[in-house]
Amino acid sequence: MIRSPRVLAMLLGTALSGCSAGPQHPRVDLPLPPPVAAATLPATAGPTQRIMPGRPAPADWWTRFGSPRLDALVARALAANTDLAAAEATLRQAREQRGVVRGAAGPQVDAGYQVERARVSNALSSPLADVTDTLYTLHTSQLSVTYPLDLFGGQRSRIRSAAAATAVAAARLDAARTSVVANLALAVIEQAALQAQVTAAEDAIRSNRDILDLLRRRQALGDIGAADVAAQASALATTEAVLPPLQRQAQHQRALIATLTGTAPGATTLDLPSLAELHLPTDLPVALPADLVAARPDVRAAAAQMEGAAADLGTAIAARLPSITLSGNAGGSAERFARMFATGNPFYALIGGLTAPIFHAGALRHQQRAAEAALDLAKAQYRGAALQAFVDVDDALAGLRSDAVALDAATRARDAANQSLGFTRRQLQLGGVGTLALLGASAASAQAASTRIQAEAARLADTVALFQAVGGTIPDPAPSSAAETRP
């Protein structure tokens, strides 16, 4: 117990000007790739896309696809997606936990009142002055104040750690919004592509049925035999077998879209865009590498985790150093409630306490080393997150470069296959070719149509992947009154 006011004042001054243990702002040397060069991705079968380096991704990047139906689905997802609701709740929890830690670092004030009715033994005297009766009542009320002086920054480190946890939760919410919107856009594109393939398969089935009818008429005239009709019937059945898996996959994508928008599959009719309604964005903004690291929410979350690990190391270091606590209480005690603060009944106490760890069997030392390892882990994870961001951008750009070429080739193949099928059917009607040639032309046409649809969808999907990779932050569609303040 420290009784000297002068000593208490010295300790208070030392604490208020105390230092913080551990690294304050950890940094990681991060190798940056060269900036992406401006380029044009020409395509004869679709819009020309331009890579525009040094520009951030727009916050509402999905609107660049020019589909009001997609925009409406995104709005529903941002308002009702369950993953976003969970991430928002996690952020609110982190904010409140930060408030708890901040409150614990300040003075603690408590009030108390106690009434005691007691009888003492006749062999003992009453504890109350001027009272000889062994039965008595004692009223006591007091106000207590406790203030832990943050001499070596342990409390400040805990506050920094809580603030970093809040920043992690906020960045993860941003990442969840980006992921939900990207997954929704990809599901819409996939569903539109599958629906286009369903339509193409239905067209192929009708075409093969027409050919089968034609062959049966020729068989009735004696121009061809049963083998030709059987071959075409087999081709029709093969084409019909393609349709159910496509319909099943399209239904799965519709169920996925419903889930992403926070509704049960089949509970409501989804207004989905067709593949033709999704327009390819022509401008592709790509941030500079340093800006990309700052923009990607997953990288920001890793940076905040690193900050929190550094704060936890400071807490572990401070735990091995002395701590000082100032406390005091004041009140009154009397046999009657109204006389608790009468002359002679009030009391008070001022206490200063110093605690220093002496021997903990190495636990505090190992705790510090564990915190140092956790900081090294957070640094490695930050480097990994940043490098992954660069990989994602590079992959998306490489995909877009090849997509334009693939779409051109698939378009030429589809047009040529359709032309060949038309010529072959005409020749079959005139008796110039056999069934085998027609079967080959029909199969080639169906395959070329499917490949063309997939190539168009891949170009749209890789554009979504690029917007997701550059990491634009999607604004909160309904900001709450407790908006996050970045620590």
Side-chain angles (χ1 to χ4, degrees):
M1 181 183 298
I2 301 174
R3 298 183 180 277
S4 171
R6 186 173 183 180
V7 173
L8 288 175
M10 292 175 61
L11 290 174
L12 178 61
T14 302
L16 293 177
S17 60
C19 58
S20 295
Q24 297 301 302
H25 300 289
R27 292 291 179 263
V28 173
D29 292 331
L30 188 64
L32 298 178
V36 175
T40 300
L41 307 176
T44 58
T48 295
Q49 291 184 301
R50 296 183 297 273
I51 298 175
M52 312 186 73
R55 294 191 182 183
D60 57 346
W61 53 263
W62 60 90
T63 61
R64 276 34 178 193
F65 290 88
S67 171
R69 294 181 181 180
L70 175 60
D71 298 345
L73 290 170
V74 170
R76 287 175 59 179
L78 291 176
N81 182 267
T82 55
D83 290 338
L84 295 185
E88 289 169 354
T90 301
L91 176 57
R92 293 197 306 272
Q93 181 184 28
R95 289 172 180 160
E96 299 305 325
Q97 289 294 338
R98 181 182 60 185
V100 170
V101 176
R102 284 179 173 172
Q108 310 295 309
V109 181
D110 299 289
Y113 168 73
Q114 178 180 336
V115 59
E116 177 185 356
R117 180 69 172 171
R119 177 187 292 276
V120 297
S121 170
N122 291 331
L124 302 175
S125 62
S126 172
L128 301 180
D130 300 327
V131 175
T132 58
D133 193 354
T134 56
L135 179 64
Y136 66 92
T137 300
L138 182 64
H139 299 267
T140 303
S141 63
Q142 67 177 357
L143 186 69
S144 301
V145 180
T146 303
Y147 184 37
L149 298 182
D150 197 12
L151 184 62
F152 294 105
Q155 289 289 350
R156 289 193 294 276
S157 294
R158 292 186 184 92
I159 293 174
R160 284 176 52 215
S161 180
T166 304
V168 170
R172 286 178 176 170
L173 175 57
D174 291 341
R177 289 196 185 105
T178 301
S179 179
V180 165
V181 173
N183 289 338
L184 176 61
L186 291 173
V188 168
I189 292 169
E190 180 68 14
Q191 194 278 335
L194 287 168
Q195 195 58 49
Q197 288 179 278
V198 167
T199 301
E202 292 172 342
D203 291 341
I205 290 172
R206 284 192 295 269
S207 176
N208 277 276
R209 284 175 179 167
D210 292 342
I211 294 172
L212 181 59
D213 291 341
L214 173 63
L215 293 178
R216 283 172 174 166
R217 289 195 298 269
R218 291 189 60 185
Q219 181 189 23
L221 296 174
D223 291 342
I224 60 174
D228 291 327
V229 175
Q232 179 57 32
S234 175
L236 173 60
T238 300
T239 306
E240 290 174 335
V242 172
L243 185 58
L246 292 174
Q247 292 173 327
R248 180 170 181 258
Q249 294 175 44
Q251 178 59 38
H252 172 74
Q253 290 301 318
R254 286 192 289 272
L256 177 59
I257 292 170
T259 303
L260 288 170
T261 56
T263 57
T268 183
T269 301
L270 296 173
D271 189 16
L272 302 176
S274 66
L275 196 61
E277 294 177 57
L278 297 170
H279 305 287
L280 193 70
T282 56
D283 294 338
L284 303 176
V286 181
L288 298 175
D291 296 333
L292 176 64
V293 170
R296 284 266 297 219
D298 56 338
V299 181
R300 288 191 282 110
Q305 284 182 313
M306 185 171 60
E307 187 75 22
D312 292 340
L313 175 56
T315 302
I317 293 174
R320 303 181 64 185
L321 301 172
S323 61
I324 298 176
T325 301
L326 298 180
S327 62
N329 60 78
S333 182
E335 67 277 11
R336 291 196 302 273
F337 183 87
R339 292 188 54 81
M340 281 190 296
F341 297 101
T343 303
N345 290 334
F347 63 85
Y348 72 88
L350 298 176
I351 304 171
L354 173 64
T355 303
I358 301 298
F359 177 73
H360 289 259
L364 297 180
R365 181 177 68 254
H366 290 299
Q367 180 176 305
Q368 178 180 337
R369 291 177 179 175
E372 291 170 351
L375 178 57
D376 291 338
L377 171 63
K379 289 180 178 180
Q381 290 174 334
Y382 173 76
R383 286 173 57 88
L387 293 175
Q388 185 61 49
F390 302 145
V391 170
D392 291 344
V393 173
D394 187 72
D395 283 348
L397 290 174
L400 286 171
R401 293 187 183 98
S402 62
D403 288 343
V405 177
L407 181 60
D408 289 344
T411 302
R412 293 195 306 271
R414 181 202 60 183
D415 295 342
N418 289 341
Q419 189 177 32
S420 174
L421 178 60
F423 290 153
T424 305
R425 291 186 62 175
R426 180 59 178 164
Q427 289 173 342
L428 178 66
Q429 292 172 347
L430 298 175
V433 296
T435 307
L436 184 61
L438 182 61
L439 292 177
S442 178
S445 176
Q447 181 60 43
S450 178
T451 301
R452 170 62 173 73
I453 292 170
Q454 292 173 0
E456 184 178 0
R459 202 174 181 201
L460 289 166
D462 282 335
T463 302
V464 172
L466 179 62
F467 281 124
Q468 183 180 16
V470 295
T473 299
I474 298 174
D476 187 347
S480 63
S481 58
E484 169 62 11
T485 301
R486 299 290 182 185

PDB file of all heavy atoms in Angstrom, residues 110-138:
ATOM      1  N   ASP A 110     -18.280   2.575  -8.626  1.00  0.00           N
ATOM      2  CA  ASP A 110     -19.377   1.725  -8.161  1.00  0.00           C
ATOM      3  C   ASP A 110     -19.946   2.297  -6.864  1.00  0.00           C
ATOM      4  O   ASP A 110     -19.202   2.829  -6.029  1.00  0.00           O
ATOM      5  CB  ASP A 110     -18.893   0.293  -7.914  1.00  0.00           C
ATOM      6  CG  ASP A 110     -18.353  -0.361  -9.173  1.00  0.00           C
ATOM      7  OD1 ASP A 110     -19.163  -0.683 -10.063  1.00  0.00           O
ATOM      8  OD2 ASP A 110     -17.116  -0.545  -9.276  1.00  0.00           O
ATOM      9  N   ALA A 111     -21.257   2.177  -6.725  1.00  0.00           N
ATOM     10  CA  ALA A 111     -21.936   2.605  -5.494  1.00  0.00           C
ATOM     11  C   ALA A 111     -22.550   1.387  -4.832  1.00  0.00           C
ATOM     12  O   ALA A 111     -23.001   0.450  -5.508  1.00  0.00           O
ATOM     13  CB  ALA A 111     -23.013   3.644  -5.798  1.00  0.00           C
ATOM     14  N   GLY A 112     -22.547   1.385  -3.496  1.00  0.00           N
ATOM     15  CA  GLY A 112     -23.097   0.253  -2.776  1.00  0.00           C
ATOM     16  C   GLY A 112     -23.816   0.678  -1.517  1.00  0.00           C
ATOM     17  O   GLY A 112     -23.495   1.712  -0.912  1.00  0.00           O
ATOM     18  N   TYR A 113     -24.795  -0.104  -1.145  1.00  0.00           N
ATOM     19  CA  TYR A 113     -25.514   0.122   0.106  1.00  0.00           C
ATOM     20  C   TYR A 113     -25.768  -1.239   0.742  1.00  0.00           C
ATOM     21  O   TYR A 113     -26.154  -2.199   0.062  1.00  0.00           O
ATOM     22  CB  TYR A 113     -26.833   0.838  -0.135  1.00  0.00           C
ATOM     23  CG  TYR A 113     -27.744   0.829   1.074  1.00  0.00           C
ATOM     24  CD1 TYR A 113     -27.455   1.640   2.176  1.00  0.00           C
ATOM     25  CD2 TYR A 113     -28.856  -0.008   1.128  1.00  0.00           C
ATOM     26  CE1 TYR A 113     -28.269   1.614   3.300  1.00  0.00           C
ATOM     27  CE2 TYR A 113     -29.674  -0.036   2.245  1.00  0.00           C
ATOM     28  CZ  TYR A 113     -29.371   0.781   3.333  1.00  0.00           C
ATOM     29  OH  TYR A 113     -30.161   0.747   4.447  1.00  0.00           O
ATOM     30  N   GLN A 114     -25.537  -1.322   2.053  1.00  0.00           N
ATOM     31  CA  GLN A 114     -25.693  -2.581   2.769  1.00  0.00           C
ATOM     32  C   GLN A 114     -26.350  -2.309   4.115  1.00  0.00           C
ATOM     33  O   GLN A 114     -25.997  -1.356   4.817  1.00  0.00           O
ATOM     34  CB  GLN A 114     -24.326  -3.241   2.977  1.00  0.00           C
ATOM     35  CG  GLN A 114     -24.373  -4.544   3.765  1.00  0.00           C
ATOM     36  CD  GLN A 114     -22.985  -5.143   3.945  1.00  0.00           C
ATOM     37  OE1 GLN A 114     -22.097  -4.867   3.162  1.00  0.00           O
ATOM     38  NE2 GLN A 114     -22.821  -5.923   4.990  1.00  0.00           N
ATOM     39  N   VAL A 115     -27.324  -3.141   4.443  1.00  0.00           N
ATOM     40  CA  VAL A 115     -27.944  -3.059   5.753  1.00  0.00           C
ATOM     41  C   VAL A 115     -27.739  -4.407   6.445  1.00  0.00           C
ATOM     42  O   VAL A 115     -27.925  -5.454   5.824  1.00  0.00           O
ATOM     43  CB  VAL A 115     -29.441  -2.695   5.654  1.00  0.00           C
ATOM     44  CG1 VAL A 115     -30.212  -3.720   4.829  1.00  0.00           C
ATOM     45  CG2 VAL A 115     -30.056  -2.573   7.061  1.00  0.00           C
ATOM     46  N   GLU A 116     -27.338  -4.357   7.696  1.00  0.00           N
ATOM     47  CA  GLU A 116     -27.017  -5.577   8.445  1.00  0.00           C
ATOM     48  C   GLU A 116     -27.800  -5.581   9.754  1.00  0.00           C
ATOM     49  O   GLU A 116     -27.778  -4.609  10.520  1.00  0.00           O
ATOM     50  CB  GLU A 116     -25.518  -5.634   8.724  1.00  0.00           C
ATOM     51  CG  GLU A 116     -25.102  -6.839   9.555  1.00  0.00           C
ATOM     52  CD  GLU A 116     -23.623  -6.794   9.898  1.00  0.00           C
ATOM     53  OE1 GLU A 116     -22.924  -5.857   9.416  1.00  0.00           O
ATOM     54  OE2 GLU A 116     -23.156  -7.674  10.648  1.00  0.00           O
ATOM     55  N   ARG A 117     -28.511  -6.661  10.000  1.00  0.00           N
ATOM     56  CA  ARG A 117     -29.229  -6.877  11.269  1.00  0.00           C
ATOM     57  C   ARG A 117     -28.558  -8.071  11.945  1.00  0.00           C
ATOM     58  O   ARG A 117     -28.524  -9.174  11.383  1.00  0.00           O
ATOM     59  CB  ARG A 117     -30.692  -7.182  10.986  1.00  0.00           C
ATOM     60  CG  ARG A 117     -31.542  -7.429  12.231  1.00  0.00           C
ATOM     61  CD  ARG A 117     -31.733  -6.177  13.045  1.00  0.00           C
ATOM     62  NE  ARG A 117     -32.702  -6.364  14.123  1.00  0.00           N
ATOM     63  CZ  ARG A 117     -32.920  -5.482  15.070  1.00  0.00           C
ATOM     64  NH1 ARG A 117     -32.238  -4.337  15.084  1.00  0.00           N
ATOM     65  NH2 ARG A 117     -33.825  -5.723  16.016  1.00  0.00           N
ATOM     66  N   ALA A 118     -27.974  -7.849  13.142  1.00  0.00           N
ATOM     67  CA  ALA A 118     -27.167  -8.893  13.755  1.00  0.00           C
ATOM     68  C   ALA A 118     -27.356  -8.916  15.267  1.00  0.00           C
ATOM     69  O   ALA A 118     -27.758  -7.934  15.894  1.00  0.00           O
ATOM     70  CB  ALA A 118     -25.693  -8.674  13.409  1.00  0.00           C
ATOM     71  N   ARG A 119     -27.076 -10.066  15.834  1.00  0.00           N
ATOM     72  CA  ARG A 119     -27.032 -10.224  17.291  1.00  0.00           C
ATOM     73  C   ARG A 119     -25.686 -10.840  17.623  1.00  0.00           C
ATOM     74  O   ARG A 119     -25.262 -11.815  16.990  1.00  0.00           O
ATOM     75  CB  ARG A 119     -28.147 -11.133  17.800  1.00  0.00           C
ATOM     76  CG  ARG A 119     -28.094 -11.385  19.320  1.00  0.00           C
ATOM     77  CD  ARG A 119     -29.121 -12.419  19.738  1.00  0.00           C
ATOM     78  NE  ARG A 119     -30.469 -11.916  19.579  1.00  0.00           N
ATOM     79  CZ  ARG A 119     -31.101 -11.167  20.490  1.00  0.00           C
ATOM     80  NH1 ARG A 119     -30.499 -10.817  21.615  1.00  0.00           N
ATOM     81  NH2 ARG A 119     -32.327 -10.756  20.286  1.00  0.00           N
ATOM     82  N   VAL A 120     -25.011 -10.284  18.619  1.00  0.00           N
ATOM     83  CA  VAL A 120     -23.729 -10.816  19.041  1.00  0.00           C
ATOM     84  C   VAL A 120     -23.906 -11.557  20.369  1.00  0.00           C
ATOM     85  O   VAL A 120     -24.893 -11.390  21.086  1.00  0.00           O
ATOM     86  CB  VAL A 120     -22.683  -9.694  19.185  1.00  0.00           C
ATOM     87  CG1 VAL A 120     -22.428  -9.022  17.857  1.00  0.00           C
ATOM     88  CG2 VAL A 120     -23.120  -8.689  20.226  1.00  0.00           C
ATOM     89  N   SER A 121     -22.951 -12.346  20.682  1.00  0.00           N
ATOM     90  CA  SER A 121     -23.001 -13.131  21.915  1.00  0.00           C
ATOM     91  C   SER A 121     -22.941 -12.211  23.136  1.00  0.00           C
ATOM     92  O   SER A 121     -22.327 -11.130  23.110  1.00  0.00           O
ATOM     93  CB  SER A 121     -21.840 -14.116  21.944  1.00  0.00           C
ATOM     94  OG  SER A 121     -21.733 -14.737  23.218  1.00  0.00           O
ATOM     95  N   ASN A 122     -23.562 -12.646  24.230  1.00  0.00           N
ATOM     96  CA  ASN A 122     -23.495 -11.875  25.459  1.00  0.00           C
ATOM     97  C   ASN A 122     -22.071 -11.763  25.977  1.00  0.00           C
ATOM     98  O   ASN A 122     -21.750 -10.847  26.741  1.00  0.00           O
ATOM     99  CB  ASN A 122     -24.385 -12.522  26.528  1.00  0.00           C
ATOM    100  CG  ASN A 122     -25.859 -12.380  26.197  1.00  0.00           C
ATOM    101  OD1 ASN A 122     -26.239 -11.420  25.534  1.00  0.00           O
ATOM    102  ND2 ASN A 122     -26.680 -13.313  26.674  1.00  0.00           N
ATOM    103  N   ALA A 123     -21.229 -12.723  25.567  1.00  0.00           N
ATOM    104  CA  ALA A 123     -19.836 -12.682  26.020  1.00  0.00           C
ATOM    105  C   ALA A 123     -19.026 -11.631  25.282  1.00  0.00           C
ATOM    106  O   ALA A 123     -17.898 -11.331  25.663  1.00  0.00           O
ATOM    107  CB  ALA A 123     -19.191 -14.057  25.861  1.00  0.00           C
ATOM    108  N   LEU A 124     -19.598 -11.081  24.196  1.00  0.00           N
ATOM    109  CA  LEU A 124     -18.886 -10.090  23.388  1.00  0.00           C
ATOM    110  C   LEU A 124     -19.585  -8.753  23.493  1.00  0.00           C
ATOM    111  O   LEU A 124     -20.788  -8.669  23.729  1.00  0.00           O
ATOM    112  CB  LEU A 124     -18.828 -10.531  21.924  1.00  0.00           C
ATOM    113  CG  LEU A 124     -18.172 -11.889  21.641  1.00  0.00           C
ATOM    114  CD1 LEU A 124     -18.305 -12.236  20.172  1.00  0.00           C
ATOM    115  CD2 LEU A 124     -16.702 -11.847  22.063  1.00  0.00           C
ATOM    116  N   SER A 125     -18.829  -7.714  23.313  1.00  0.00           N
ATOM    117  CA  SER A 125     -19.420  -6.373  23.311  1.00  0.00           C
ATOM    118  C   SER A 125     -19.880  -6.032  21.909  1.00  0.00           C
ATOM    119  O   SER A 125     -19.373  -6.542  20.923  1.00  0.00           O
ATOM    120  CB  SER A 125     -18.399  -5.339  23.794  1.00  0.00           C
ATOM    121  OG  SER A 125     -17.294  -5.302  22.917  1.00  0.00           O
ATOM    122  N   SER A 126     -20.847  -5.141  21.785  1.00  0.00           N
ATOM    123  CA  SER A 126     -21.350  -4.719  20.476  1.00  0.00           C
ATOM    124  C   SER A 126     -20.248  -3.974  19.724  1.00  0.00           C
ATOM    125  O   SER A 126     -19.486  -3.198  20.313  1.00  0.00           O
ATOM    126  CB  SER A 126     -22.564  -3.820  20.667  1.00  0.00           C
ATOM    127  OG  SER A 126     -22.945  -3.265  19.422  1.00  0.00           O
ATOM    128  N   PRO A 127     -20.148  -4.148  18.438  1.00  0.00           N
ATOM    129  CA  PRO A 127     -19.144  -3.414  17.655  1.00  0.00           C
ATOM    130  C   PRO A 127     -19.489  -1.948  17.493  1.00  0.00           C
ATOM    131  O   PRO A 127     -18.673  -1.181  16.972  1.00  0.00           O
ATOM    132  CB  PRO A 127     -19.152  -4.137  16.305  1.00  0.00           C
ATOM    133  CG  PRO A 127     -20.513  -4.716  16.193  1.00  0.00           C
ATOM    134  CD  PRO A 127     -20.909  -5.091  17.589  1.00  0.00           C
ATOM    135  N   LEU A 128     -20.680  -1.547  17.898  1.00  0.00           N
ATOM    136  CA  LEU A 128     -21.081  -0.156  17.739  1.00  0.00           C
ATOM    137  C   LEU A 128     -20.798   0.611  19.016  1.00  0.00           C
ATOM    138  O   LEU A 128     -21.053   0.129  20.125  1.00  0.00           O
ATOM    139  CB  LEU A 128     -22.576  -0.062  17.409  1.00  0.00           C
ATOM    140  CG  LEU A 128     -23.033  -0.792  16.136  1.00  0.00           C
ATOM    141  CD1 LEU A 128     -24.525  -0.608  15.950  1.00  0.00           C
ATOM    142  CD2 LEU A 128     -22.265  -0.289  14.940  1.00  0.00           C
ATOM    143  N   ALA A 129     -20.292   1.781  18.883  1.00  0.00           N
ATOM    144  CA  ALA A 129     -20.013   2.638  20.041  1.00  0.00           C
ATOM    145  C   ALA A 129     -21.316   3.038  20.725  1.00  0.00           C
ATOM    146  O   ALA A 129     -22.332   3.298  20.071  1.00  0.00           O
ATOM    147  CB  ALA A 129     -19.239   3.879  19.596  1.00  0.00           C
ATOM    148  N   ASP A 130     -21.297   3.112  22.050  1.00  0.00           N
ATOM    149  CA  ASP A 130     -22.434   3.555  22.855  1.00  0.00           C
ATOM    150  C   ASP A 130     -23.654   2.650  22.696  1.00  0.00           C
ATOM    151  O   ASP A 130     -24.793   3.079  22.899  1.00  0.00           O
ATOM    152  CB  ASP A 130     -22.841   5.004  22.508  1.00  0.00           C
ATOM    153  CG  ASP A 130     -21.694   5.970  22.749  1.00  0.00           C
ATOM    154  OD1 ASP A 130     -20.902   5.732  23.683  1.00  0.00           O
ATOM    155  OD2 ASP A 130     -21.599   6.946  21.970  1.00  0.00           O
ATOM    156  N   VAL A 131     -23.435   1.453  22.287  1.00  0.00           N
ATOM    157  CA  VAL A 131     -24.536   0.510  22.171  1.00  0.00           C
ATOM    158  C   VAL A 131     -24.191  -0.722  22.986  1.00  0.00           C
ATOM    159  O   VAL A 131     -23.154  -1.359  22.763  1.00  0.00           O
ATOM    160  CB  VAL A 131     -24.793   0.111  20.703  1.00  0.00           C
ATOM    161  CG1 VAL A 131     -25.885  -0.969  20.636  1.00  0.00           C
ATOM    162  CG2 VAL A 131     -25.212   1.329  19.898  1.00  0.00           C
ATOM    163  N   THR A 132     -25.031  -1.034  23.973  1.00  0.00           N
ATOM    164  CA  THR A 132     -24.756  -2.189  24.825  1.00  0.00           C
ATOM    165  C   THR A 132     -25.624  -3.383  24.481  1.00  0.00           C
ATOM    166  O   THR A 132     -25.336  -4.506  24.876  1.00  0.00           O
ATOM    167  CB  THR A 132     -24.993  -1.805  26.289  1.00  0.00           C
ATOM    168  OG1 THR A 132     -26.349  -1.347  26.447  1.00  0.00           O
ATOM    169  CG2 THR A 132     -24.030  -0.706  26.716  1.00  0.00           C
ATOM    170  N   ASP A 133     -26.696  -3.129  23.723  1.00  0.00           N
ATOM    171  CA  ASP A 133     -27.575  -4.230  23.348  1.00  0.00           C
ATOM    172  C   ASP A 133     -26.847  -5.138  22.363  1.00  0.00           C
ATOM    173  O   ASP A 133     -26.136  -4.683  21.476  1.00  0.00           O
ATOM    174  CB  ASP A 133     -28.839  -3.670  22.708  1.00  0.00           C
ATOM    175  CG  ASP A 133     -29.925  -4.740  22.595  1.00  0.00           C
ATOM    176  OD1 ASP A 133     -29.643  -5.900  22.899  1.00  0.00           O
ATOM    177  OD2 ASP A 133     -31.048  -4.379  22.173  1.00  0.00           O
ATOM    178  N   THR A 134     -27.056  -6.447  22.516  1.00  0.00           N
ATOM    179  CA  THR A 134     -26.398  -7.392  21.594  1.00  0.00           C
ATOM    180  C   THR A 134     -27.132  -7.489  20.264  1.00  0.00           C
ATOM    181  O   THR A 134     -26.624  -8.112  19.329  1.00  0.00           O
ATOM    182  CB  THR A 134     -26.337  -8.789  22.239  1.00  0.00           C
ATOM    183  OG1 THR A 134     -27.678  -9.194  22.590  1.00  0.00           O
ATOM    184  CG2 THR A 134     -25.459  -8.771  23.473  1.00  0.00           C
ATOM    185  N   LEU A 135     -28.298  -6.916  20.120  1.00  0.00           N
ATOM    186  CA  LEU A 135     -29.042  -6.888  18.865  1.00  0.00           C
ATOM    187  C   LEU A 135     -28.965  -5.480  18.283  1.00  0.00           C
ATOM    188  O   LEU A 135     -29.317  -4.515  18.962  1.00  0.00           O
ATOM    189  CB  LEU A 135     -30.504  -7.284  19.108  1.00  0.00           C
ATOM    190  CG  LEU A 135     -31.414  -7.283  17.871  1.00  0.00           C
ATOM    191  CD1 LEU A 135     -30.954  -8.342  16.874  1.00  0.00           C
ATOM    192  CD2 LEU A 135     -32.869  -7.509  18.286  1.00  0.00           C
ATOM    193  N   TYR A 136     -28.502  -5.388  17.067  1.00  0.00           N
ATOM    194  CA  TYR A 136     -28.317  -4.051  16.478  1.00  0.00           C
ATOM    195  C   TYR A 136     -28.515  -4.132  14.961  1.00  0.00           C
ATOM    196  O   TYR A 136     -28.511  -5.197  14.345  1.00  0.00           O
ATOM    197  CB  TYR A 136     -26.909  -3.507  16.786  1.00  0.00           C
ATOM    198  CG  TYR A 136     -25.798  -4.293  16.122  1.00  0.00           C
ATOM    199  CD1 TYR A 136     -25.307  -3.914  14.869  1.00  0.00           C
ATOM    200  CD2 TYR A 136     -25.232  -5.404  16.751  1.00  0.00           C
ATOM    201  CE1 TYR A 136     -24.294  -4.632  14.258  1.00  0.00           C
ATOM    202  CE2 TYR A 136     -24.223  -6.126  16.152  1.00  0.00           C
ATOM    203  CZ  TYR A 136     -23.753  -5.726  14.899  1.00  0.00           C
ATOM    204  OH  TYR A 136     -22.753  -6.447  14.286  1.00  0.00           O
ATOM    205  N   THR A 137     -28.688  -2.939  14.343  1.00  0.00           N
ATOM    206  CA  THR A 137     -28.793  -2.772  12.887  1.00  0.00           C
ATOM    207  C   THR A 137     -27.699  -1.806  12.444  1.00  0.00           C
ATOM    208  O   THR A 137     -27.475  -0.782  13.101  1.00  0.00           O
ATOM    209  CB  THR A 137     -30.162  -2.219  12.479  1.00  0.00           C
ATOM    210  OG1 THR A 137     -31.176  -3.136  12.921  1.00  0.00           O
ATOM    211  CG2 THR A 137     -30.270  -2.043  10.968  1.00  0.00           C
ATOM    212  N   LEU A 138     -27.068  -2.118  11.303  1.00  0.00           N
ATOM    213  CA  LEU A 138     -25.980  -1.272  10.797  1.00  0.00           C
ATOM    214  C   LEU A 138     -26.228  -0.977   9.323  1.00  0.00           C
ATOM    215  O   LEU A 138     -26.375  -1.898   8.504  1.00  0.00           O
ATOM    216  CB  LEU A 138     -24.628  -1.973  10.977  1.00  0.00           C
ATOM    217  CG  LEU A 138     -23.398  -1.168  10.532  1.00  0.00           C
ATOM    218  CD1 LEU A 138     -23.238   0.085  11.397  1.00  0.00           C
ATOM    219  CD2 LEU A 138     -22.140  -2.033  10.599  1.00  0.00           C
TER     220      LEU A 138
END
